[in-house]
Amino acid sequence: MKSKHTFMPSFILVCLFVICGNFTIYAQNTSNFIEIKGIVTDEKSNDRLVFSDLIIKNTNISTVTNIDGEFALKIPMQHKNGFIVITHLGYEKKEISIPSTNEKLKIKLTPAVTSLETVQLVAKTGDAKSLVLETLQKKGTLYNNSNTLMTAFYRETIKKRRKNASLSEAVVKIHKQPYSTYRKDNIELVKARKNTNYDRLDTLALKLQGGPFSNLYTDLVKYPEFIFTQEDIDNYEFSFGKSTNINSKLVYVVNFKQTPLVKTPLYYGKLYIDAETLALINAIYSLNVENKELSSQMFVRKKPRRVDVHPTKATYRVNYRIQNGKWHYAYSNILLSFKVNWKGKLFNSIYTLNSEMAVTDWEIHNTKIATLKNQMLRPSTILTDQASGFSDPEFWGEYNIIEPEKSIENAIEKIKRQLKKT
């Protein structure tokens, strides 16, 4: 059985490297905000909670915790006496006042208890497949249907085995189209910086084509065609997992995987669906890469003839956030691993590409969002190679970013030292 599936547009270019490009740095006034930092953990186990949401109450300003459970949040002075709301799937919501000191915050969340009503509520929905279909049909009513301008932070790293070989970061504006329309979203580049250590990439440079668009297309509500379509929905098996909750609201967990008869690589994972509204609030899924030849064709666009490249892992995550009764795209993460074999060589190389994008602020536009052609990115974009900005500690100014994890912090420090030497 063949599938007419449209695959997630995250393409990897394997090619001889070329160093090119430069970028303009924009000055920022950093006197009208305060910055707080901290860590979010489980109250009982003390485990660090990854991808927790932190939002300044009564605003759209937000950030997420990194892979170490750490965060940094820039707060405009007019909100310094406000509150921060912290949420995480499977935990009770917590609200704290914004501190007046620079002391690092230690925020502990309490695991939520799922009620015994779960089995009865699941029974009301019928089978898991019907629930998913009903969820996908609700995008016009449950999700933001206004033209929205979103500020987001994007980070992309490439590692050869455990060593960082490339680091790209950018602030972008997402011109988000209403969920009820089929119009594609656009992305405007605000500012960016990138550094690549080609010595660590040997004679090959792996580049992620699509950049921020790859993460934006994980929005399954806006772009269901990359996972579930009318043609291939029957190629999946759906089943209920153990329910959980968020903000004291019950959340269904639906597991999905491709049927045994389907040989084309499809996806498997979990969908988290709000039990009351049937809105998709979170999805974690992976591509089946057991078939090396077919999965390689999905990602590799260009490579030398003597090189064999195939993915060993392709995982995706997308989170949604609710504001004023409407859900919207909030965060996504893509992790891709590739094995590179040179014909005639004994040893292979392992490359890992990780990209993430977090919406840090947004506003509704009552009129159609203008298109600034000279600043708009294309879905085929590869972020320009350049090192500008790493020597400037105030490079991001007032823009919120995802707090860099320890390995990325170390990479940035090394880049700074290299720049000082030159």
Side-chain angles (χ1 to χ4, degrees):
M1 183 181 298
K2 292 185 179 181
S3 169
K4 296 180 181 179
H5 190 81
T6 303
F7 294 103
M8 188 71 65
S10 299
F11 304 118
I12 306 305
L13 293 183
V14 184
C15 55
L16 294 176
F17 65 81
V18 178
I19 302 176
C20 59
N22 51 54
F23 203 84
T24 303
I25 300 175
Y26 298 89
Q28 291 285 336
N29 179 6
T30 60
S31 62
N32 54 355
F33 69 88
I34 58 175
E35 183 176 29
I36 61 171
K37 295 188 176 185
I39 184 172
V40 180
T41 62
D42 181 297
E43 182 182 58
K44 296 182 179 180
S45 66
N46 214 35
D47 290 340
R48 300 186 176 206
L49 298 180
V50 181
F51 309 136
S52 298
D53 271 327
L54 295 99
I55 308 169
I56 302 176
K57 189 175 182 179
N58 297 324
T59 77
N60 297 326
I61 302 171
S62 59
T63 191
V64 297
T65 56
N66 65 12
I67 199 169
D68 300 316
E70 299 177 341
F71 69 90
L73 180 62
K74 293 172 183 175
I75 302 168
M77 293 302 290
Q78 65 264 35
H79 300 297
K80 68 177 183 178
N81 296 321
F83 296 86
I84 300 172
V85 179
I86 305 98
T87 59
H88 190 94
L89 190 66
Y91 288 81
E92 298 291 346
K93 177 175 68 175
K94 189 163 190 174
E95 187 174 304
I96 63 171
S97 57
I98 295 173
S100 56
T101 65
N102 293 332
E103 186 176 347
K104 189 173 183 179
L105 295 178
K106 296 181 180 179
I107 301 172
K108 296 183 180 293
L109 298 186
T110 304
V113 179
T114 305
S115 69
L116 295 178
E117 298 175 354
T118 302
V119 176
Q120 297 175 346
L121 288 169
V122 169
K124 292 179 182 178
T125 68
D127 65 281
K129 179 181 176 181
S130 297
L131 176 63
V132 172
L133 290 173
E134 188 173 354
T135 294
L136 295 176
Q137 291 170 359
K138 287 181 173 289
K139 68 178 182 178
T141 57
L142 300 179
Y143 294 81
N144 196 347
N145 270 325
S146 302
N147 290 315
T148 308
L149 188 62
M150 295 177 158
T151 302
F153 177 75
Y154 173 80
R155 177 180 287 131
E156 173 189 312
T157 61
I158 300 176
K159 292 183 179 181
K160 181 183 178 183
R161 297 199 182 272
R162 295 184 179 181
K163 294 183 178 180
N164 280 292
S166 179
L167 171 62
S168 306
E169 297 178 322
V171 169
V172 298
K173 296 282 188 180
I174 302 172
H175 295 223
K176 198 80 170 122
Q177 304 297 324
Y179 275 88
S180 58
T181 73
Y182 291 99
R183 294 199 300 269
K184 299 286 187 180
D185 302 323
N186 295 307
I187 297 180
E188 172 189 348
L189 181 63
V190 177
K191 61 188 314 186
R193 62 185 188 178
K194 179 171 181 177
N195 181 266
T196 302
N197 186 339
Y198 287 103
D199 292 336
R200 287 184 178 166
L201 288 173
D202 296 327
T203 55
L204 288 179
L206 273 72
K207 298 182 179 182
L208 180 63
Q209 183 177 12
F213 279 98
S214 297
N215 285 76
L216 189 57
Y217 290 154
T218 64
D219 183 351
L220 298 185
V221 178
K222 179 69 176 175
Y223 302 101
E225 64 268 22
F226 294 130
I227 301 292
F228 306 120
T229 66
Q230 292 182 348
E231 290 80 10
D232 67 14
I233 193 73
D234 291 333
N235 293 330
Y236 284 99
E237 295 178 349
F238 297 90
S239 63
F240 283 109
K242 183 179 179 181
S243 298
T244 183
N245 60 51
I246 186 171
N247 301 341
S248 300
K249 292 186 176 182
L250 183 67
V251 175
Y252 296 139
V253 178
V254 176
N255 302 312
F256 67 94
K257 63 181 180 179
Q258 66 188 79
T259 60
L261 295 177
V262 177
K263 302 305 178 183
T264 302
L266 296 180
Y267 297 88
Y268 62 93
K270 296 179 182 293
L271 304 174
Y272 296 83
I273 299 171
D274 179 72
E276 181 179 354
T277 64
L278 301 190
L280 179 68
I281 64 173
N282 184 273
I284 302 172
Y285 53 100
S286 302
L287 178 71
N288 177 8
V289 294
E290 292 181 359
N291 189 315
K292 294 181 181 180
E293 182 179 354
L294 291 180
S295 58
S296 177
Q297 291 174 8
M298 293 168 56
F299 288 97
V300 181
R301 281 297 184 87
K302 184 180 180 181
K303 68 180 183 66
R305 292 182 178 178
R306 295 190 304 109
V307 176
D308 176 50
V309 182
H310 66 268
T312 59
K313 180 188 293 185
T315 62
Y316 306 82
R317 179 190 186 99
V318 59
N319 295 352
Y320 296 89
R321 193 177 293 140
I322 190 170
Q323 184 78 327
N324 300 324
K326 295 289 186 178
W327 294 88
H328 63 82
Y329 166 81
Y331 173 82
S332 60
N333 187 294
I334 300 175
L335 178 64
L336 307 172
S337 292
F338 291 85
K339 182 175 287 187
V340 179
N341 289 306
W342 283 91
K343 293 179 181 178
K345 288 190 176 182
L346 182 61
F347 300 104
N348 57 50
S349 297
I350 303 296
Y351 292 89
T352 303
L353 296 90
N354 183 234
S355 64
E356 59 182 339
M357 186 161 67
V359 173
T360 58
D361 200 359
W362 58 272
E363 59 181 322
I364 298 294
H365 273 234
N366 294 324
T367 58
K368 186 177 179 180
I369 300 174
T371 300
L372 307 174
K373 292 185 178 180
N374 61 329
Q375 293 175 250
M376 305 305 288
L377 299 178
R378 295 177 178 272
S380 59
T381 294
I382 299 173
L383 286 184
T384 305
D385 290 340
Q386 53 81 46
S388 300
F390 284 101
S391 59
D392 179 9
E394 305 298 333
F395 181 77
W396 297 118
E398 299 178 15
Y399 292 110
N400 271 300
I401 68 170
I402 304 170
E403 182 75 346
E405 59 189 82
K406 291 295 185 291
S407 65
I408 294 177
E409 281 184 348
N410 293 336
I412 291 175
E413 288 303 315
K414 289 181 180 178
I415 293 169
K416 288 179 179 178
R417 290 197 293 269
Q418 292 169 1
L419 292 175
K420 286 181 179 179
K421 291 179 181 179
T422 57

